Amino acid sequence: VQTCALPIFMSGVSLAEIHARTGRCDEALELLDIVSKLNQQLGYRLFAPKIDAIRALALKSLGCDAEAVEHVRRAIEAEHGHDAVSRVLCAWIASRVLPSPEDSRGQLNHALGLARQLGLRPLEALCAIDSHDEARAGRAQRSELGMGGDWLD
């Protein structure tokens, strides 16, 4: 039964991630509830961090910041030793969810470095785009404050 359930389970996790990334957060959370129950029944502990990270992304989009931070912190703490894609994904989502700019930047740098190290080019590109957007936003904010130039870069 476990072997037959794995493809269904993986499809559910992937679909929930797509829903969370495209703003269909209520659907993502419903699907994650189903997948979480299946995860517990089948004992697939390996996927719990990824489920928590995706749940955090959906909750953040819905404005449930405190709950999102709780889930992303749990994902970060548990992600060691899990598959490479999940580790990068957890760090990338954490960079979008954590309220502290320092924590967020640290997780983004961790995700980018890990993606580069593991040769996960699509995830590396995703992290690099976010990193460039963050730098551009910082330069724009300094310019608005009359602190133009790249004196902090």
Side-chain angles (χ1 to χ4, degrees):
V1 173
Q2 281 188 315
T3 305
C4 297
L6 185 60
I8 296 168
F9 177 81
M10 293 297 297
S11 298
V13 172
S14 297
L15 185 57
E17 181 181 347
I18 291 167
H19 284 332
R21 286 186 183 201
T22 58
R24 297 169 66 182
C25 299
D26 289 329
E27 293 172 63
L29 291 173
E30 286 178 33
L31 192 52
L32 288 170
D33 287 341
I34 294 167
V35 169
S36 292
K37 288 176 187 170
L38 186 60
N39 188 44
Q40 290 174 342
Q41 290 172 353
L42 299 175
Y44 293 151
R45 287 184 298 249
L46 177 67
F47 300 103
K50 187 171 184 177
I51 292 168
D52 271 328
I54 296 167
R55 188 179 303 276
L57 185 61
L59 289 166
K60 176 72 174 176
S61 296
L62 291 172
C64 303
D65 293 356
E67 197 175 349
V69 168
E70 177 186 326
H71 282 281
V72 83
R73 289 199 190 281
R74 192 165 51 210
I76 291 168
E77 290 170 6
E79 60 99 8
H80 299 289
H82 297 299
D83 71 282
V85 173
S86 291
R87 290 184 0 230
V88 175
L89 179 67
C90 285
W92 177 77
I93 289 174
S95 76
R96 299 171 89 56
V97 171
L98 293 174
S100 160
E102 294 80 22
D103 289 345
S104 178
R105 195 172 307 110
Q107 285 297 322
L108 183 58
N109 289 337
H110 174 65
L112 181 58
L114 192 55
R116 281 184 180 148
Q117 175 187 356
L118 298 169
L120 301 170
R121 307 254 333 188
L123 290 174
E124 179 183 347
L126 179 69
C127 296
I129 288 168
D130 276 4
S131 183
H132 291 306
D133 287 348
E134 182 181 291
R136 188 174 321 129
R139 282 192 295 274
Q141 187 176 24
R142 287 194 303 273
S143 177
E144 287 175 15
L145 295 172
M147 301 171 8
D150 291 332
W151 61 279
L152 288 177
D153 291 334

